[in-house]
Amino acid sequence: MIKFFRHIRQRLIRENRISKYLLYAIGEIILVVIGILIALQINNWNESRKESLLEDQLIDVLITDLQLKKEEFLNDLAIGQSILQKSEETINFWEEHDAMDTLHLKSLLGILAEDDWFFNENSPVYATVSGSGLWKQLPNNLTRQIDAMYRVNFGSIKSAFEKQGNYALQAKLNFLAPNHLLNLDTDIKEIQKIVSENDEAFISFIDLFRSGVVRLTSKFEDFVPAIDKLIEDLEYYKVNK
């Protein structure tokens, strides 16, 4: 192609057809400029495609992180509901029979001793996404949703877990340890006797602990649908951006 244009240019010069040569030269320059513009456009398209792929990957990682949090909340919700069911049955039995049932007694005493309730609201995925160029490209309503989920909702879960740990610590220091109930290898009849002698204190600590579990389970029940909605919005944005 280059040799072809060179031959045309040389023929025009030999024939002293300067005006046509000038037109040809201008045309050749225009072709070169068009070629450069096409190359730049292709390069820009490639860069945009790379950015779009990176954006999709970041969104996918964020969705996966949210799905894991949802699974964690569902597991914790099931545990919380089990605690509420056991404590309710125990309290109802005590109120109706003025006696301590042994069915869930060891389990509830073990739960009262668990003062290491913990939730890590910090997410490396959220930190990476919110600090990336993707964050500026996302719609404002979507960034507000993500912020509210990680900073507000997950933060409130952490606070509820910490309060629950404090309830358990109070029960351990003020009820379990003084009554030698930290070791549950003792015969259940002996444990029942000890608790029955301090039944009002036991029920009060169960009530306190139960109130915290109610608060936690209600948060899980609210936040799981909110996570589903956020995942749905992220997937919609990914497809329709």
Side-chain angles (χ1 to χ4, degrees):
M1 182 65 71
I2 294 175
K3 288 183 178 180
F4 174 74
F5 285 125
R6 186 184 298 121
H7 287 317
I8 294 176
R9 185 168 59 251
Q10 290 173 349
R11 180 168 59 79
L12 289 173
I13 292 173
R14 283 197 304 271
E15 294 175 0
N16 200 26
R17 297 164 69 180
I18 301 301
S19 60
K20 289 188 176 181
Y21 170 73
L22 289 175
L23 288 174
Y24 166 79
I26 293 171
E28 189 174 358
I29 291 171
I30 291 173
L31 286 175
V32 171
V33 171
I34 291 173
I36 292 172
L37 291 174
I38 292 173
L40 288 173
Q41 186 63 34
I42 292 173
N43 183 66
N44 290 337
W45 180 82
N46 285 332
E47 290 300 319
S48 297
R49 183 170 175 274
K50 289 178 183 177
E51 288 179 2
S52 180
L53 288 173
L54 177 60
E55 186 177 17
D56 288 348
Q57 290 171 356
L58 288 172
I59 291 174
D60 286 341
V61 170
L62 186 58
I63 288 173
T64 300
D65 190 54
L66 288 167
Q67 288 171 335
L68 291 173
K69 283 288 190 293
K70 174 187 171 181
E71 291 175 11
E72 184 179 351
F73 288 171
L74 288 174
N75 289 333
D76 288 340
L77 176 60
I79 293 171
Q81 289 172 336
S82 175
I83 293 173
L84 292 177
Q85 178 255 326
K86 290 177 182 179
S87 61
E88 185 174 357
E89 288 180 6
T90 299
I91 292 172
N92 289 341
F93 186 92
W94 177 74
E95 290 176 344
E96 292 174 11
H97 304 281
D98 194 24
M100 197 57 58
D101 187 17
T102 60
L103 181 61
H104 304 302
L105 191 54
K106 275 194 176 184
S107 176
L108 288 174
L109 288 169
I111 289 168
L112 282 179
E114 293 177 359
D115 58 352
D116 56 350
W117 288 58
F118 175 77
F119 175 76
N120 183 11
E121 87 284 15
N122 295 319
S123 168
V125 173
Y126 168 68
T128 299
V129 172
S130 61
S132 69
L134 165 64
W135 196 250
K136 297 178 181 178
Q137 299 176 31
L138 292 174
N140 288 336
N141 65 321
L142 201 51
T143 57
R144 284 196 296 269
Q145 274 184 268
I146 298 169
D147 257 338
M149 183 60 67
Y150 280 90
R151 295 164 65 90
V152 180
N153 293 354
F154 292 173
S156 69
I157 289 285
K158 179 184 179 180
S159 297
F161 266 89
E162 289 174 347
K163 189 172 288 294
Q164 201 64 29
N166 288 332
Y167 291 161
L169 182 60
Q170 290 180 40
K172 181 183 287 187
L173 295 176
N174 299 302
F175 178 75
L176 298 173
N179 291 294
H180 310 289
L181 290 170
L182 292 175
N183 181 6
L184 297 178
D185 292 335
T186 310
D187 180 73
I188 186 62
K189 294 298 182 182
E190 180 62 26
I191 292 175
Q192 183 186 31
K193 179 177 180 296
I194 295 172
V195 175
S196 297
E197 292 172 353
N198 303 273
D199 56 348
E200 291 187 0
F202 173 71
I203 293 299
S204 67
F205 278 112
I206 286 293
D207 262 338
L208 179 63
F209 196 88
R210 189 174 183 276
S211 69
V213 175
V214 169
R215 180 171 53 249
L216 268 171
T217 54
S218 67
K219 289 181 182 295
F220 294 143
E221 289 169 345
D222 289 341
F223 295 162
V224 166
I227 290 175
D228 284 336
K229 177 63 167 59
L230 179 52
I231 290 174
E232 181 183 335
D233 290 347
L234 285 167
E235 289 175 339
Y236 180 85
Y237 171 77
K238 179 183 170 184
V239 172
N240 297 281
K241 62 183 177 179

